[in-house]
Amino acid sequence: MKPDRADVPEPGVPLPSLRSTYGLVQWLSSTDHKQLGIMYLWTGLFFFLVGGLEAMLMRLQLAWPELNLLGPEAYNQLFTMHGTTMVFLVLMPTLIGLATYFLPLMIGANEMAFPRLNAMSLWVTILGGFLLNFSFLAGGAPDAGWFSYAPLSEQNYSFSNGLDYYSIGLIVTGIGSIGAALNFVVTTVTMRVKGMGLGRLPLFVWMVFINSFLILAAFPLLNAGLFMLLIDRQLGAHFFLPSSGGSALLWQHFFWAFGHPEVYILALPGFGIISEVIPVFSRKKIYGYGTLAGSTVFIALLSFGVWAHHMFAAGLGNPVNTFFAAGSMLIGIPTGIKIVNWIATMWGGAVYFSTSMLFALAFIVDFTLGGLSGVAFAIVPIDWRVTDTYFVVAHIHYVFLGGTLFTIFAGIYYWFPKISGRMLSERLGKWHFWLFLLGFNMTFLFQHLLGMMGMPRRVYTYPDLPWYGILNFISTVGAAMMGVAMLIFIWNIFHSLRKGVKADKNPWGAWTLEWHASSPPSLKNFGELSPVRTERALLDWEEDKKN
């Protein structure tokens, strides 16, 4: 008998993972990890459109010297909301969404360890996002940058309620991230299929697992700082007010002790996606599974020893600067090991240049460029020269877009057949890839030059100095190309959902367990599963059948 529309399906009821048969109520009340994962992905896409529109408005304002399309107050709000939205409401929810959908499938489980906590994590993340954006209607959005340095974020300098919505919104989203991380850890530890030791985890699961400890350690630091800022602003405390005995540097320590691990919180799941995509499309086993996994642990540990390299210009003193400079350089070693592993995996392989693989290759190139400019920031005299210039803007976008976002695109093109049961159009995918790649490098490559020429960041306009106008104009044209590429991507998703070629269980010939489930998976992911012997379970089972 067909359930009522308001019924929540019980385990065993077939459930299409993308198009519910039972209506919106089922989605809103769902605790199914696949549905929650899909809602995370839609959330990320919605806020990507919001953050992308904010970026386009900023690039139009900066397209030419001395333009006045936006005033300084509006510009301050836009660059604050753009950075905050992209980090906390786009990249984080999208990565958590992919992990929520695929982690149980990849370890042979039928659900997360705490399904209701899983649902709560999603909804508080969405609530935090809407609280943050409600500030536009409540007197003004936050305007002190995504880092909200004190004392600029205190009442004396930021009069609207924007920073209060910023604090509450990020505290709420942080609670959601902590809940998700706790769920990933417990699920990975307790719900693996028989035979899957920690040394046989798919690398995406391994990196989400390690990453979850980073989230559990870093986000409480941010939330503590945000609570103190809120108390300063609403109850008249003085934690971060130097004029009355507080310390502005204390805010920077809180923020960057969270903020630098956050770079790796956004990078590690992407490393995991790439580690799944490259071997499948190279038709080779991943090179150096052990070093790829082990280097992740070193990155996680070192990420907590480098935060003060964001504060070299704050005057902490040479011993402190030297310690954090050394730590910042060391972290390049395990990251470099991963890049060598990925290249070695492709070496001699039968590489198939699918859209997913193209984004993986672009990630290696652009993330390496972002990493090299990051090493430059670890050298104190260079940091003093280019800090707070457009060199920083270029660097952070090469890491977050060229790094994390490219891996997300690679993952979506790779896993879309499993989620939807249909293939994304490869023809539209190639248009998306080439337009986005060209636009990305036009936008941010030249900003390195602007930074070296001394153009400061966070300014709403600039004088007509040599090269400033033309380089900014190229950046704006590049941003417009990325916007067109995103429209193609979104059209590809909606068109393929309706008319895409139907996908079978394993269209790429992959080896991890999610490809053993139907496409899309039923409510109960698996029936009986045989024990696994290696990290390539499907290949092992095929060989068993032949024997």
Side-chain angles (χ1 to χ4, degrees):
M1 184 175 71
K2 183 177 178 180
D4 293 334
R5 293 178 65 82
D7 283 351
V8 178
E10 295 298 324
V13 177
L15 175 66
S17 61
L18 200 59
R19 296 176 180 173
S20 167
T21 311
Y22 308 116
L24 182 62
V25 171
Q26 184 204 55
W27 282 87
L28 298 179
S29 58
S30 178
T31 56
D32 176 68
H33 74 96
K34 299 178 290 299
Q35 285 187 302
L36 293 170
I38 290 168
M39 287 191 279
Y40 266 117
L41 297 179
W42 284 122
T43 301
L45 182 59
F46 171 78
F47 282 113
F48 188 95
L49 295 176
V50 174
L53 178 62
E54 290 162 351
M56 281 309 305
L57 289 172
M58 285 191 291
R59 282 314 318 168
L60 285 174
Q61 166 63 27
L62 297 171
W64 206 250
E66 299 175 357
L67 286 180
N68 283 295
L69 299 174
L70 300 171
E73 292 180 0
Y75 187 85
N76 286 349
Q77 293 178 26
L78 283 177
F79 84 71
T80 299
M81 288 297 288
H82 168 69
T84 308
T85 298
M86 287 299 187
V87 171
F88 294 99
L89 301 175
V90 177
L91 298 179
M92 284 288 294
T94 305
L95 291 169
I96 288 176
L98 288 172
T100 299
Y101 195 104
F102 285 105
L103 186 143
L105 281 162
M106 296 177 87
I107 63 172
N110 286 319
E111 194 35 277
M112 297 281 283
F114 305 119
R116 289 177 177 79
L117 175 62
N118 204 12
M120 189 209 79
S121 300
L122 167 71
W123 290 112
V124 297
T125 299
I126 293 174
L127 173 64
F130 280 105
L131 277 174
L132 186 66
N133 281 274
F134 184 74
S135 60
F136 280 113
L137 306 175
D143 55 1
W146 79 283
F147 34 77
S148 289
Y149 280 167
L152 293 177
S153 52
E154 296 280 2
Q155 283 280 12
N156 294 345
Y157 298 93
S158 184
F159 308 114
S160 74
N161 294 326
L163 261 300
D164 301 312
Y165 281 98
Y166 167 92
S167 301
I168 297 171
L170 293 194
I171 288 170
V172 171
T173 60
I175 292 171
S177 300
I178 291 169
L182 181 65
N183 223 343
F184 294 145
V185 170
V186 178
T187 303
T188 305
V189 170
T190 63
M191 301 181 71
R192 302 188 309 275
V193 66
K194 188 175 181 181
M196 184 180 280
L198 291 179
R200 293 175 182 168
L201 285 176
L203 281 166
F204 176 68
V205 177
W206 176 257
M207 294 194 196
V208 169
F209 179 62
I210 298 298
N211 200 46
S212 298
F213 290 102
L214 272 181
I215 293 175
L216 292 173
F219 269 82
L221 291 169
L222 175 66
N223 279 10
L226 289 168
F227 270 116
M228 293 163 73
L229 179 61
L230 198 59
I231 293 170
D232 266 11
R233 290 178 57 84
Q234 291 298 318
L235 301 179
H238 308 281
F239 289 114
F240 306 124
L241 280 171
S243 60
S244 49
S247 169
L249 278 182
L250 180 61
W251 168 260
Q252 290 198 37
H253 281 297
F254 268 113
F255 187 84
W256 289 118
F258 149 79
H260 201 86
E262 171 69 2
V263 173
Y264 294 96
I265 287 170
L266 296 177
L268 289 182
F271 292 171
I273 294 170
I274 296 304
S275 301
E276 302 296 336
V277 168
I278 287 178
V280 169
F281 291 110
S282 300
R283 309 311 303 164
K284 279 182 65 184
K285 185 178 178 181
I286 191 78
Y287 179 84
Y289 176 95
T291 52
L292 267 166
S295 60
T296 306
V297 178
F298 281 106
I299 289 173
L301 294 173
L302 287 170
S303 70
F304 279 100
V306 300
W307 82 83
H309 86 220
H310 295 271
M311 301 165 64
F312 283 159
L316 298 179
N318 286 335
V320 175
N321 287 350
T322 303
F323 174 83
F324 284 99
S328 303
M329 292 180 192
L330 279 177
I331 209 165
I333 297 173
T335 308
I337 288 172
K338 289 184 184 301
I339 292 171
V340 170
N341 285 133
W342 294 321
I343 293 173
T345 302
M346 289 183 282
W347 192 269
V351 178
Y352 172 58
F353 293 100
S354 66
T355 305
S356 178
M357 187 66 175
L358 288 174
F359 273 112
L361 294 173
F363 153 80
I364 292 176
V365 175
D366 287 310
F367 184 77
T368 301
L369 290 174
L372 290 175
S373 60
V375 172
F377 282 115
I379 302 169
V380 178
I382 294 178
D383 180 273
W384 285 345
R385 172 66 181 82
V386 296
T387 191
D388 285 336
T389 72
Y390 260 78
F391 197 92
V392 180
V393 179
H395 162 69
I396 196 169
H397 282 88
Y398 265 83
V399 172
F400 281 167
L401 264 70
T404 305
L405 188 60
F406 279 19
T407 66
I408 288 173
F409 285 144
I412 288 176
Y413 279 95
Y414 178 60
W415 279 316
F416 187 87
K418 181 55 59 182
I419 295 174
S420 68
R422 293 184 182 271
M423 307 293 290
L424 276 172
S425 164
E426 280 288 300
R427 181 176 62 83
L428 291 174
K430 299 288 173 50
W431 275 101
H432 169 213
F433 170 75
W434 287 111
L435 271 175
F436 199 93
L437 181 69
L438 185 58
F440 167 78
N441 284 290
M442 282 177 64
T443 303
F444 299 111
L445 187 62
F446 296 105
Q447 289 182 5
H448 289 99
L449 300 176
L450 283 167
M452 286 189 283
M453 288 189 288
M455 180 172 170
R457 57 175 173 162
R458 308 169 201 146
V459 292
Y460 85 104
T461 190
Y462 52 91
D464 189 9
L465 296 173
W467 293 100
Y468 273 34
I470 187 64
L471 291 177
N472 272 290
F473 183 74
I474 293 172
S475 282
T476 300
V477 172
M481 291 173 66
M482 284 194 288
V484 173
M486 284 306 299
L487 293 177
I488 294 173
F489 175 59
I490 293 169
W491 169 254
N492 194 2
I493 288 176
F494 283 99
H495 182 264
S496 298
L497 284 176
R498 295 181 59 214
K499 299 183 178 179
V501 175
K502 290 189 177 179
D504 62 23
K505 285 174 60 174
N506 192 2
W508 307 122
W511 307 300
T512 39
L513 283 179
E514 76 272 27
W515 300 104
H516 186 64
S518 59
S519 298
S522 59
L523 181 61
K524 186 177 181 182
N525 297 334
F526 303 105
E528 291 290 323
L529 283 179
S530 302
V532 301
R533 299 199 308 273
T534 71
E535 67 273 17
R536 299 195 299 175
L538 300 194
L539 192 62
D540 295 339
W541 293 345
E542 284 181 16
E543 290 177 352
D544 290 343
K545 288 179 185 175
K546 292 176 184 175
N547 296 329

